[in-house]
Amino acid sequence: MIKTYKLLNVKCNSCVKLIEMTLKDIEGITSATVDLNSKLLTIDFDPNIISEEKWIEELDSIGHGIDR
C-alpha cells in the first residue's frame, strides 16, 4: 500500500535521513522517501505486517510525525 503524508518538524537533510532510515528498518515497510521541499513522506507498507498506527508511533518516537 503506497500512501503520501505531510510531515511535521522536517527542517534539514539530517531529518530526512533519520526518517527514511528509521522507517526502512521496520519489517513490513518496503520503501520510505521524504521530499524535504514539500515535506511529504511517500511510504510503501504492507498493512498485513505492520499497521499504519504502529509505524506512525515509531515516527513520533524520533520527534517527527505526520499532519493528521
Side-chain angles (χ1 to χ4, degrees), residues 1 4 9 12 18 24 26 37 50-51:
M1 173 181 294
T4 301
N9 302 323
C12 63
L18 176 62
K24 288 177 183 177
I26 298 173
N37 293 325
I50 185 162
S51 70

Side-chain angles (χ1 to χ4, degrees), residues 23-36:
L23 292 175
K24 288 177 183 177
D25 285 344
I26 298 173
E27 184 180 356
I29 296 179
T30 306
S31 68
T33 307
V34 176
D35 182 289
L36 181 58

Side-chain angles (χ1 to χ4, degrees), residues 6 10-16 34-40:
K6 183 76 171 176
V10 179
K11 299 177 176 132
C12 63
N13 285 323
S14 294
C15 296
V16 170
V34 176
D35 182 289
L36 181 58
N37 293 325
S38 64
K39 296 182 175 29
L40 292 177

